[in-house]
Amino acid sequence: MAYSHPCPTAPGVIERPSGPLRVDPRHAANLPTRQVHIPETSIFSHLETAARRYPGKTAVQFFGAAYRYAELLRDAERMAGYLQNVCGVERGDRVVVFSQNCPQYIAAYFAILRADAVLVPANAMLRLDEMEHIVSDSGAVAAFVAEELVEQVAPLIGRTSLRHVIVHAYGDALGEDDAGLAVPDWVRRPSSTESLFAGGERWTAALAQEHAPAPHRAGPDDLCMLPYTSGTTGKPKACVHTHRTVSTSFVGGSLWRPTNASSVFLAVAPLFHLLGLQTNVNAAVFNGATIVLMPRWDRETAATLIERHGVTFWAALPTMLVDFFALPGIEQRDLSSLAIITGGGAATPQHINDLLKNRYGLDYIEGYGLTETASFLCTNPLFRPKRGCLGIPTYGVDLRLLDPETLQPVRQGDVGEIVAHAAQIMLGYWNNPRANADTFIVIDGKRFLRTGDLASMDEDGYLFMRDRLKRMINASGFKVWPAEIEAMLHTHPAISEACVIAAPDPHRGETVKAVVTLKPGSLLGSDELLAWCREHMAVYKAPRVVQIVDSLPKNATGKIAWRELQEQEMARCAS
């Protein structure tokens, strides 16, 4: 029986399929398989299975260090025991992971699941105030934190629900051999010998206590994770996901873009994003495959790792591919092991598609998903992709395009808002009934998620993104919501009004621009404001461009006419 959690779900029928999820029959011939069965287990069980099957196989390759499946399971078990016996973590409690990619991140994630607890992944670029919101909103009682990020979390002990922090250093996972790779100094750094703050413990010391966990009780409908996503209200909201919703996504993805125990995943997408966690960890462990882990993007290291470890599967953002294939001498590198390259989140330059096809015989398999859908909702068919396309609805997805005002279906070829009913869709937003009411609608007795994205569908059933109903800025794959940045700007004592828009950027695709007015008598300059933003906001959120104006345009109701400013920016850049 599922654990009774404190999150009311949105109205309508939540998909809990008892049989296989099927794809639209007209696309079946273009896929490796036309249906998928979702396991009736917790996600942790996949690690147990992989460790029994392949105990000596490398689960995670981290520069020169090989972390085997038996070792990953052992550390997850011991850390789960520490969470339960020392930190007092109980079933359904929330635990934060705040770190760049590293083996400890993966072990911590599975330890949280082994303890029947709930993962709260936090973007490693967040500042103290942003972390305080996530910890307070989720009610997290414990956190796994990378050593260089401790200052953003330690002050929260005692003034929030947070009681315990386990601190890890990336260098402790490297071993003795760097395999001749260019390991950044910040990764090499081992654990500090300085004493920790009250409530803190080092990762190595916690493991050394060898606590045994209680029996694992979580099932498919227990809460699994609360990933945060921003919205037009300006405050990040947590998406409530169960083992079933998350499994539906990564199990389906493993069949759609077929992988197996011999697959090798290049994992450079951040694990605090569902793209990285789902595609490169959950799918890999489900198959008993190998994860070649990179803490941050570096094109030379990526090329070497692909060659050395025979990488077969790479989830890459378009901006990453542009940088990678600009590497001098890349055409002489042995990339022949690559079988699938997938991604999305931004338009892919035509020359990259042509290069992949002509030089390597590969198609870039673009897809579309949200944090609310556990990442996997639409993807191009493996054997018949279309360029610049979101793809088609995946297994069991009932996707429709509606007029956003009338909520009536649009004609084929016309633009409408994407709404979807599917087993991978979240239960709702964490303790946020107003957001649930705004986000979900009921059609034919079924619960549909309103994505806020506008698309059209061609005669073959392929989706093409047309516009955004919401004011989201996509900066190198990171979602930035103007209302949140505007709220932060309004805390500056010199700013009177602020409007945040997207500005075209040749590298990031889009970047954040702030248009502000100042209070009378203020002498604030653009450079000073940019510096303030970098100090108070995560790097990907902080405006890169500032325009100080005398006044902002308003509509008839007195609201700032952000769309007018956006159109002016696009016209200026096009001229």
Side-chain angles (χ1 to χ4, degrees):
M1 184 175 179
Y3 172 73
S4 178
H5 55 78
C7 175
T9 58
V13 175
I14 296 174
E15 189 76 34
R16 291 193 178 98
S18 56
L21 299 174
R22 294 182 171 85
V23 74
D24 188 329
R26 60 179 161 165
H27 302 300
N30 301 315
L31 295 168
T33 183
R34 63 185 62 189
Q35 65 181 28
V36 58
H37 292 265
I38 305 305
E40 293 282 336
T41 59
S42 75
I43 293 170
F44 176 79
S45 69
H46 304 317
L47 174 59
E48 288 183 305
T49 298
R52 284 197 303 269
R53 287 177 172 173
Y54 315 110
K57 187 170 187 264
T58 298
V60 183
Q61 185 73 41
F62 190 58
F63 294 101
Y67 196 24
R68 307 186 191 284
Y69 267 104
E71 296 168 333
L72 177 57
L73 177 62
R74 176 202 65 200
D75 288 355
E77 291 271 357
R78 290 179 179 176
M79 198 57 77
Y82 183 87
L83 287 175
Q84 291 176 331
N85 296 313
V86 177
C87 303
V89 170
E90 298 180 351
R91 190 177 187 183
D93 280 350
R94 279 73 65 200
V95 180
V96 170
V97 180
F98 188 41
S99 172
Q100 301 283 0
N101 292 0
C102 61
Q104 295 99 319
Y105 194 117
I106 298 174
Y109 166 53
F110 282 106
I112 293 166
L113 301 187
R114 174 62 182 85
D116 300 325
V118 181
L119 167 72
V120 181
N123 190 315
M125 290 182 276
L126 296 183
R127 302 293 188 181
L128 176 60
D129 290 349
E130 296 164 315
M131 283 301 299
E132 182 165 12
H133 167 71
I134 286 177
V135 170
S136 299
D137 184 68
S138 67
V141 298
F144 292 95
V145 180
E147 194 162 273
E148 84 278 11
L149 300 175
V150 163
E151 291 181 359
Q152 316 299 340
V153 176
L156 302 180
I157 296 178
R159 77 184 198 209
T160 67
S161 55
L162 193 65
R163 302 191 301 261
H164 298 272
V165 174
I166 300 105
V167 181
H168 60 270
Y170 310 122
D172 291 342
L174 286 175
E176 300 297 326
D177 184 10
D178 62 11
L181 294 164
V183 183
D185 289 341
W186 64 271
V187 175
R188 288 183 181 275
R189 198 170 299 122
S191 293
S192 171
T193 57
E194 296 180 7
S195 59
L196 282 174
F197 47 88
E201 181 61 280
R202 299 202 182 279
W203 173 275
T204 50
L207 276 183
Q209 296 179 35
E210 299 188 9
H211 285 283
H216 183 51
R217 294 184 292 163
D221 295 315
D222 281 272
L223 295 195
C224 166
M225 61 178 69
L226 294 179
Y228 274 77
T229 184
S230 295
T232 54
T233 58
K235 281 289 189 180
K237 305 185 297 292
C239 299
V240 179
H241 278 292
T242 65
H243 291 265
R244 187 189 301 276
T245 61
V246 173
S247 294
T248 299
S249 173
F250 72 78
V251 173
S254 295
L255 294 180
W256 194 279
R257 303 160 302 211
T259 49
N260 54 51
S262 296
S263 298
V264 180
F265 292 68
L266 182 64
V268 62
L271 300 185
F272 51 74
H273 281 179
L274 286 194
L275 171 66
L277 189 64
Q278 289 281 71
T279 307
N280 295 324
V281 174
N282 283 334
V285 171
F286 175 70
N287 285 284
T290 294
I291 303 163
V292 178
L293 193 61
M294 293 179 64
R296 285 186 191 164
W297 172 244
D298 178 83
R299 63 184 184 178
E300 175 62 41
T301 301
T304 301
L305 292 173
I306 291 170
E307 289 182 307
R308 184 174 297 180
H309 299 292
V311 168
T312 63
F313 187 101
W314 184 12
L317 296 173
T319 52
M320 198 178 289
L321 293 176
V322 171
D323 186 47
F324 182 75
F325 287 110
L327 177 67
I330 190 62
E331 60 275 4
Q332 277 78 53
R333 307 297 288 263
D334 181 9
L335 308 181
S336 60
S337 61
L338 285 170
I340 296 175
I341 301 181
T342 186
T348 309
Q350 185 65 34
H351 77 276
I352 294 296
N353 281 313
D354 291 341
L355 183 153
L356 286 172
K357 191 68 173 179
N358 298 332
R359 187 185 295 174
Y360 304 105
L362 296 173
D363 289 299
Y364 184 52
I365 307 299
E366 296 181 71
Y368 166 75
L370 311 167
T371 307
E372 288 86 344
T373 69
S375 184
F376 183 69
L377 191 69
C378 298
T379 305
N380 272 271
L382 188 65
F383 304 133
R384 196 190 171 203
K386 293 188 179 185
R387 294 181 177 181
C389 173
L390 302 181
I392 62 172
T394 54
Y395 302 110
V397 174
D398 182 352
L399 184 143
R400 308 181 191 186
L401 298 180
L402 305 182
D403 182 300
E405 297 294 330
T406 67
L407 299 181
Q408 295 302 306
V410 301
R411 295 175 300 178
Q412 188 265 310
D414 287 351
V415 174
E417 181 182 0
I418 300 172
V419 302
H421 170 81
Q424 60 263 52
I425 290 175
M426 66 176 183
L427 302 192
Y429 292 112
W430 178 255
N431 290 335
N432 199 330
R434 174 174 292 184
N436 287 336
D438 292 339
T439 303
F440 289 96
I441 57 175
V442 178
I443 305 173
D444 301 331
K446 296 195 297 185
R447 190 186 66 134
F448 280 77
L449 173 78
R450 296 189 64 175
T451 67
D453 290 322
L454 301 176
S456 63
M457 183 177 289
D458 70 9
E459 64 278 4
D460 297 322
Y462 287 68
L463 285 164
F464 291 83
M465 182 71 81
R466 298 306 181 198
D467 202 348
R468 298 185 182 111
L469 193 61
K470 302 174 183 176
R471 290 178 57 198
M472 188 265 286
I473 299 171
N474 192 332
S476 296
F478 290 103
K479 291 183 178 180
V480 180
W481 296 95
E484 182 184 3
I485 309 307
E486 289 165 358
M488 293 180 177
L489 288 169
H490 286 146
T491 66
H492 193 290
I495 290 178
S496 175
E497 291 183 310
C499 183
V500 171
I501 58 175
D505 184 282
H507 177 67
R508 304 176 85 205
E510 293 177 340
T511 197
V512 182
K513 177 176 179 177
V515 185
V516 304
T517 63
L518 303 181
K519 294 177 181 178
S522 173
L523 300 177
L524 180 68
S526 298
D527 290 342
E528 184 181 355
L529 179 54
L530 287 171
W532 182 88
C533 291
R534 289 192 295 270
E535 181 181 352
H536 289 83
M537 305 179 201
V539 172
Y540 72 97
K541 294 181 184 178
R544 303 289 182 93
V545 183
V546 166
Q547 182 181 2
I548 299 175
V549 297
D550 293 331
S551 63
L552 293 173
K554 307 287 176 61
N555 63 18
T557 63
K559 294 182 179 179
I560 295 174
W562 68 269
R563 192 178 296 276
E564 180 180 332
L565 288 172
Q566 185 67 74
E567 290 172 352
Q568 290 174 1
E569 179 66 15
M570 294 305 176
R572 183 188 66 80
C573 294
S575 62

